[in-house]
């Protein structure tokens, strides 16, 4: 009998139903055969016996019914598995979802995903799409206005606000629809279409769009806690393009044909290398004719460092006819953006007899030209860097050997004719009369 018992250690029967499997074992105690079936109740192992196999089967079926209502846990699971089941049931209880239903839905979802991501990612994506559908809509042109107003309320610098305004208004012309409809691929296509723009310029536009999209997310127009489409757009190589300069002939054409109010800007840029923003902020007392230097104060310099730039004979000849005791050097031009807009328009009016434009504006052309021609004459990167407010390494790498000393000599030899100088003086006198008249009207 003992040998038979060793050979038959497995269950003599298994009762199954409603997803539950209960094994029944036979055993002998003091020569009497009985049937037992262990199970777990509240995590504690229990065991029952029946004198006959039929009675064991009946009781096992009863236990299946009890298990289906959450009363018992059978010994088909190990203690560790039973503990995990109890924990799962506790997690699901507040949701009112049976364990079997939760497992069924999980298995279905994993099968549909087919290994492409986790279930949680799929759920997050689904929720995000539903959330996005419920978000208030806003068109990009309207959003740009809201952002610019917000920047002004936060007292951001005028220069920063105007820069954002210029870039985002251009973006709004291209993206006129709702911000939720814009995709990163569309932003990439738009930036790529700027064929003449450098990588740095494209990145500046991209940064402006990231600020706009982040503002939209903050105001509830885009889902919170997620990266925006602008952040997914491609970043460009920031090495920049080739240095563009004007020829001496082109500079002469600019100085002799453009309307007088732009001559100080052209001359200062061409013969000192000051940046456009620095020229806009420049005041007459800072052009020290007696000391033959132009002072660029730290507060007005891009590098926040004061520097002195020599007044060359060429600069003095072109600028002195406009000389005033006080006030800004550039008349009625409040900032660099107004300067760029009005200068472009003025240059566009310089045309040949057949009406075609004679000058094409070169980006930062006056500054690049000064550094290039100055380097050709001085042949000293450190000295040119000191005048231009740049690093010697930058000067040496980008401006060395771009032109000849003869061409540089032509550049700095340009002077206004007597007739042109007289035209400048007449323009200044007219300007002074208008100023006096305005002052008199204010007093009255």
């Amino acid at each position: 009998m003992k040998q038979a018992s060793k050979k038959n250690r497995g269950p003599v029967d298994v009762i199954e139903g409603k997803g539950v499997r209960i094994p029944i074992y036979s055993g002998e105690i003091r020569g009497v055969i009985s049937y037992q079936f262990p199970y777990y109740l509240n995590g504690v192992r229990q065991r029952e016996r029946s004198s006959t196999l039929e009675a064991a089967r009946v009781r096992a079926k009863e236990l299946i019914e009890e298990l289906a209502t959450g009363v018992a846990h059978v010994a088909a699971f190990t203690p560790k598995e039973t503990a995990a089941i109890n924990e799962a049931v506790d997690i699901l209880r507040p949701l009112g979802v049976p364990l079997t239903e939760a497992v069924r839905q999980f298995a279905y979802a994993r099968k549909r995903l087919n290994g492409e991501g986790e279930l949680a990612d799929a759920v997050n994506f689904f929720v995000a799409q539903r959330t996005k559908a419920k978000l208030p809509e806003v068109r990009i042109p309207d959003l740009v206005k809201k952002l610019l107003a917000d920047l002004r309320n936060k007292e951001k610098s005028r220069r920063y606000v105007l820069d954002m305004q210029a870039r985002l208004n251009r973006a709004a012309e291209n993206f006129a629809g709702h911000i939720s409809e814009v995709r990163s691929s569309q932003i990439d296509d738009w930036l790529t279409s700027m064929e003449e723009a450098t990588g740095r310029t494209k990145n500046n536009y991209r940064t402006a769009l990231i600020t706009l999209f982040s503002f939209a997310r903050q105001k509830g127009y885009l889902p919170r806690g997620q990266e925006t489409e602008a952040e997914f757009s491609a970043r460009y190589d920031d090495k920049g393009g080739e240095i563009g300069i004007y020829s001496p002939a082109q500079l002469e054409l600019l100085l002799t044909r453009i309307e007088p109010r732009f001559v100080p800007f052209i001359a200062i840029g061409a013969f000192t290398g000051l940046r456009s923003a620095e020229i806009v902020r420049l005041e007459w007392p800072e052009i020290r004719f007696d000391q033959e230097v132009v002072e660029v104060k730290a507060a007005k310099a891009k590098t926040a460092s004061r520097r002195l730039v020599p007044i060359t004979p060429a600069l003095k000849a072109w600028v002195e006819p406009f000389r005033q005791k006080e006030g800004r050097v550039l008349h009625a031009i409040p900032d660099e953006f107004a300067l760029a807009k009005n200068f472009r328009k003025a240059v566009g009016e310089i045309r040949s007899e057949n009406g075609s434009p004679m000058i094409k504006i070169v980006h930062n052309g006056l500054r690049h030209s000064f550094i290039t021609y100055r380097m050709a004459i001085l042949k000293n990167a450190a000295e040119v860097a000191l005048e231009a407010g740049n690093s010697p390494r930058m000067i040496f790498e980008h401006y060395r050997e771009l032109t000849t000393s003869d061409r540089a000599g032509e550049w700095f030899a340009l002077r206004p004719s007597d007739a042109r100088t007289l035209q400048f003086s007449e323009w200044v006198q007219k300007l002074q009369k208008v100023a006096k008249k305005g002052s008199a009207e204010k007093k009255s």
Side-chain angles (χ1 to χ4, degrees):
M1 187 67 184
K2 288 182 180 180
Q3 292 178 350
S5 178
K6 288 180 181 180
K7 291 180 181 180
N8 299 297
R9 291 181 178 178
V12 295
D13 198 357
V14 177
I15 307 300
E16 296 183 274
K18 298 185 179 181
V20 178
R21 181 176 181 275
I22 301 180
I24 300 175
Y25 300 90
S26 65
E28 181 180 339
I29 299 177
R30 298 176 183 177
V32 178
I33 300 294
S34 63
Y35 300 87
Q36 63 179 0
F37 35 96
Y39 62 94
Y40 283 81
L41 181 63
N42 296 326
V44 180
R45 190 172 187 274
Q46 306 290 334
R47 183 174 59 183
E48 294 189 20
R49 288 181 180 275
S50 294
S51 57
T52 65
L53 179 60
E54 186 59 33
R57 289 169 175 162
V58 171
R59 178 54 184 156
K61 291 178 181 179
E62 292 177 353
L63 285 173
I64 288 176
E65 293 298 326
E66 293 176 7
L67 177 63
T69 58
V71 175
H73 303 274
V74 299
F77 299 103
T78 65
K80 185 176 181 179
E81 291 172 333
T82 302
I85 292 172
N86 286 333
E87 183 180 3
V89 171
D90 290 339
I91 293 173
L92 291 169
R93 186 172 291 114
L95 304 177
V97 179
L99 178 60
T100 51
E101 179 63 20
V103 173
R104 185 179 297 111
Q105 290 189 22
F106 177 83
Y108 173 79
R110 285 299 294 267
K111 184 177 180 181
R112 287 296 305 273
L113 285 172
N114 193 29
E116 298 181 3
E118 297 296 326
L119 179 58
D121 295 332
V123 172
N124 289 336
F125 177 79
F126 172 77
V127 172
Q129 295 304 309
R130 290 189 60 183
T131 302
K132 186 181 295 185
K134 296 177 182 178
L135 293 175
E137 293 283 8
V138 62
R139 294 188 178 277
I140 288 185
D142 296 328
L143 185 64
V144 169
K145 293 178 182 178
K146 292 177 184 289
L147 172 59
L148 294 176
D150 184 70
L151 294 177
R152 294 188 186 99
N153 290 336
K154 292 178 179 177
E155 299 183 351
K156 297 293 183 180
S157 71
R158 175 176 171 80
R159 180 180 180 184
Y160 175 71
V161 173
L162 289 174
D163 181 72
M164 291 292 288
Q165 178 177 304
R167 297 185 192 285
L168 292 178
N169 281 345
R170 183 174 177 181
E173 292 176 1
N174 187 76
F175 303 106
H178 296 118
I179 194 165
S180 60
E181 299 171 347
V182 178
R183 297 293 174 264
S184 60
S185 59
Q186 295 172 299
I187 296 175
D188 290 338
D189 291 342
W190 180 59
L191 294 175
T192 302
S193 70
M194 299 180 185
E195 296 180 356
E196 297 183 0
T198 63
R200 176 176 297 182
T201 298
K202 293 178 182 179
N203 285 337
N204 288 339
Y205 275 99
R206 177 178 178 270
T207 299
L209 282 174
I210 289 175
T211 301
L212 180 69
F213 275 66
S214 298
F215 177 75
R217 179 175 56 196
Q218 175 190 345
K219 296 301 179 182
Y221 296 113
L222 293 176
R224 296 182 183 273
Q226 296 183 33
E227 287 188 278
T228 66
E229 291 293 323
E231 291 171 287
F232 284 116
S233 63
R235 183 174 178 81
Y236 286 80
D237 187 351
D238 203 7
K239 293 181 179 178
E242 294 184 1
I243 299 297
I245 64 174
Y246 293 108
S247 69
Q250 288 174 320
L251 176 61
E252 183 178 15
L253 191 61
L254 280 172
L255 287 169
T256 57
R257 296 287 298 273
I258 204 164
E259 61 177 289
R261 69 169 176 150
F262 288 106
V263 170
F265 163 68
I266 297 170
I268 294 170
F271 301 126
T272 68
L274 266 65
R275 300 174 178 88
S276 297
E278 294 171 339
I279 300 175
V280 168
R281 302 166 191 159
L282 192 66
E283 298 185 18
W284 282 111
E286 294 160 355
I287 302 181
R288 303 178 186 176
F289 289 97
D290 54 336
Q291 297 175 329
E292 297 186 341
V293 294
V294 176
E295 179 189 12
V296 183
K297 293 184 176 179
K300 299 180 180 182
K302 179 182 178 181
T303 57
S305 298
R306 177 180 177 271
R307 71 182 190 275
L308 298 175
V309 186
I311 294 179
T312 61
L315 176 63
K316 186 175 182 179
W318 286 99
V319 174
E320 195 163 32
F322 296 90
R323 184 175 179 178
Q324 303 290 317
K325 291 182 179 180
E326 58 185 15
R328 286 193 174 187
V329 174
L330 299 191
H331 173 67
I333 299 179
D335 52 63
E336 60 187 293
F337 300 99
L339 171 62
K341 179 180 178 181
N342 289 285
F343 180 63
R344 184 176 295 277
K345 181 180 178 182
V347 172
E349 293 174 355
I350 302 176
R351 296 178 177 270
S352 63
E353 292 182 358
N354 62 10
S356 59
M358 300 181 70
I359 294 288
K360 181 179 180 181
I361 292 180
V362 178
H363 181 63
N364 285 334
L366 295 172
R367 175 173 169 80
H368 291 326
S369 299
F370 167 79
I371 298 175
T372 299
Y373 292 121
R374 192 69 166 163
M375 185 66 179
I377 290 177
L378 297 180
K379 303 187 186 308
N380 186 321
E383 187 173 350
V384 176
L386 191 63
E387 294 178 359
N390 217 328
S391 70
R393 181 184 62 80
M394 182 69 72
I395 299 294
F396 188 82
E397 288 182 0
H398 296 283
Y399 297 94
R400 184 172 58 96
E401 297 178 352
L402 292 182
T403 190
T404 65
S405 57
D406 290 341
R407 295 269 287 175
E410 292 178 33
W411 181 270
F412 289 101
L414 289 172
R415 300 290 187 276
S417 65
D418 292 341
R420 184 65 165 158
T421 301
L422 179 60
Q423 185 182 22
F424 297 158
S425 299
E426 291 174 348
W427 182 83
V428 171
Q429 290 173 7
K430 188 176 181 180
L431 186 66
Q432 289 173 339
K433 287 180 180 180
V434 173
K436 287 180 180 179
K437 184 179 179 181
S439 178
E441 289 177 351
K442 285 184 179 180
K443 289 181 180 179
S444 62

